[in-house]
Amino acid sequence: MSSSSSIDQPNVITCKAMVAWEAGKDLVMEEVEVSPPQPQEIRVKVICTSLCRTDITAWESQAIFPRIFGHEASGIVESVGEGVTEFVKGDHVLTVFTGECKTCKHCESKKSNMCQVLGLERRGVMHSDQGTRFSVKGKPVFHYCAVSSFSEYTVVHSGCAVKVSQQAPLEKICLLSCGVAAGLGAAWNVADISKGSIVVIFGLGTVGLAVAQGAKLRGASQIIGVDINPEKYEKAKCFGVTDFLNPNEYNEPIQQVIKRISGGGADYSFECIGNTGMVTTALQSCCDGWGLTVTLGVPKTNPEIASHYSAFLSGKTLKGSLFGGWKPKSDLPSLVNKYMNREIQVDEFITHNLPFEDINKAFTLMREGKCLRCVIHMPN
């Protein structure tokens, strides 16, 4: 029996959450019970959560239901579980979909951010005990990426949360818990873009535009953006895109156009769509010898990549990127500081702000290509 009094022990919280009951069907506002945090976990009052394309991909295609989606979020610690020393009630945090235990082989290596203990969780449960912390009328509700931020309260492992400055605006920096950080990291950590280089980006959503920003800040001389939505060009210019290509406007393969306007191919190409066929196109858009392609998108279908061996024989490289190579707990505070010092743009990615009850509208806006990031504001 614990020596702590029962008064000190967190209780079950009943709150509102947007629950997905079926693939592709509108989320439903439900009263959910949120269990107290277990050892090494924290319970977070979600302040803001932004909708990421990955949420939509999973909602449309995955079979684990009922489920609470959402992973790009900011909040305030409501209670802590046994053994948690890093956080206290009232701390401001970002949630992260991939954690950092700081003790496994990958966490101790400078070469990886793929934590072996708190890596990407795909089964809809908590890392620690393979259980859920949500229920509706006694029926378990599954998690998403061990975050589930489409709820007024959520429980996450303490290794999947990052303490941030209380001066940082939670309604803005929630974007740094996934999309914006992923794009910046792909440019800086994974590709390590050099000054004066030529960059091509396939897909000008939040991640692609964050790559463009990273390339611009590294001094790239030409940043080519490829997208079939012409309305994205004006916004793309704000993040550093110098040339805009719409494949639908050309009668030749877009990789040939890129090779022509770049004088032989880009030094770096980034696939930010989630289309494995585009990975092949991105590889073909790179120059021989040192051309590097980074793939960031999560494909809905056809997960296998096909490419002719000659691309690699000619010296090209294909690399994957998860969360831009950032170690979340070690690196995200510095990104927040860069935002606070106005060294990086974040606010400009936010095209819509909506109340929690309008979350289905956010899904519609993103599916129709009418938003970059829609920030969902929780009730006070």
Side-chain angles (χ1 to χ4, degrees):
M1 186 174 181
S2 172
S3 60
S4 299
S5 70
S6 60
I7 297 174
D8 296 326
Q9 300 302 309
N11 296 315
V12 171
I13 283 178
T14 300
C15 68
K16 302 285 189 184
M18 295 298 275
V19 178
W21 291 96
E22 294 181 64
K25 297 291 180 66
D26 279 0
L27 309 188
V28 180
M29 182 80 79
E30 302 279 9
E31 291 275 346
V32 301
E33 294 81 41
V34 186
S35 300
Q38 299 304 299
Q40 301 302 325
E41 296 174 355
I42 62 175
R43 189 161 58 188
V44 176
K45 176 179 172 61
V46 178
I47 301 300
C48 286
T49 179
S50 38
L51 179 62
C52 174
R53 172 66 67 175
T54 311
D55 291 306
I56 289 184
T57 300
W59 165 71
E60 289 176 333
S61 60
Q62 291 189 5
I64 304 173
F65 293 98
R67 201 169 198 181
I68 297 173
F69 286 102
H71 63 280
E72 197 174 88
S74 59
I76 299 173
V77 176
E78 177 272 336
S79 57
V80 302
E82 181 183 342
V84 175
T85 57
E86 180 185 356
F87 299 100
V88 296
K89 181 177 179 178
D91 280 344
H92 287 201
V93 295
L94 293 177
T95 60
V96 285
F97 67 89
T98 181
E100 182 183 355
C101 73
K102 296 195 172 184
T103 58
C104 72
K105 179 179 179 181
H106 282 249
C107 283
E108 290 184 340
S109 170
K110 294 181 179 180
K111 298 178 181 179
S112 172
N113 67 339
M114 304 284 288
C115 179
Q116 294 171 299
V117 178
L118 301 172
L120 191 59
E121 207 297 310
R122 294 183 172 92
R123 291 175 293 176
V125 294
M126 296 295 290
H127 288 97
S128 54
D129 62 1
Q130 311 305 302
T132 75
R133 303 290 177 264
F134 297 107
S135 62
V136 173
K137 297 176 182 176
K139 179 179 175 134
V141 176
F142 292 101
H143 297 245
Y144 179 62
C145 289
V147 175
S148 293
S149 56
F150 295 166
S151 173
E152 292 179 313
Y153 288 86
T154 190
V155 175
V156 300
H157 193 283
S158 58
C160 296
V162 181
K163 189 187 299 185
V164 295
S165 165
Q166 299 208 2
Q167 279 67 54
L170 294 176
E171 72 276 10
K172 309 291 187 184
I173 63 167
C174 56
L175 274 66
L176 290 173
S177 71
C178 182
V180 174
L184 288 170
W188 294 344
N189 304 326
V190 181
D192 193 15
I193 291 172
S194 55
K195 185 176 181 179
S197 57
I198 298 172
V199 175
V200 60
I201 302 161
F202 293 84
L204 298 179
T206 296
V207 174
L209 293 179
V211 171
Q213 180 180 184
K216 177 183 178 182
L217 292 172
R218 278 290 179 90
S221 62
Q222 186 179 22
I223 303 172
I224 304 165
V226 181
D227 203 292
I228 59 173
N229 184 351
E231 295 178 4
K232 291 185 176 181
Y233 184 39
E234 286 305 313
K235 192 77 171 180
K237 287 194 288 188
C238 300
F239 292 100
V241 172
T242 57
D243 303 78
F244 181 82
L245 300 179
N246 182 345
N248 292 338
E249 296 177 355
Y250 293 89
N251 295 321
E252 59 183 317
I254 201 65
Q255 57 266 38
Q256 293 181 14
V257 179
I258 292 165
K259 285 202 165 190
R260 187 168 65 250
I261 68 171
S262 62
D267 300 297
Y268 307 95
S269 68
F270 296 84
E271 191 284 318
C272 306
I273 299 170
N275 181 320
T276 48
M278 272 297 165
V279 175
T280 305
T281 302
L283 262 174
Q284 294 168 342
S285 302
C286 276
C287 65
D288 290 341
W290 60 82
L292 171 63
T293 294
V294 179
T295 179
L296 295 85
V298 179
K300 294 181 186 178
T301 57
N302 303 322
E304 294 184 359
I305 296 169
S307 184
H308 198 277
Y309 82 98
S310 62
F312 305 106
L313 198 62
S314 64
K316 297 178 182 180
T317 301
L318 174 63
K319 294 184 75 172
S321 175
L322 179 73
F323 197 44
W326 301 112
K327 292 179 181 287
K329 296 178 80 69
S330 299
D331 297 333
L332 273 188
S334 67
L335 263 189
V336 173
N337 288 338
K338 283 183 181 293
Y339 166 72
M340 296 294 285
N341 294 331
R342 299 185 178 181
E343 296 173 41
I344 58 172
Q345 296 170 275
V346 173
D347 299 14
E348 291 79 1
F349 289 95
I350 301 170
T351 54
H352 297 78
N353 288 276
L354 291 174
F356 187 36
E357 61 266 24
D358 288 347
I359 199 166
N360 287 307
K361 182 179 177 182
F363 273 66
T364 299
L365 287 166
M366 182 164 280
R367 291 175 92 188
E368 293 177 352
K370 294 179 179 177
C371 76
L372 287 175
R373 275 298 185 265
C374 183
V375 175
I376 309 298
H377 296 258
M378 293 296 180
N380 292 330

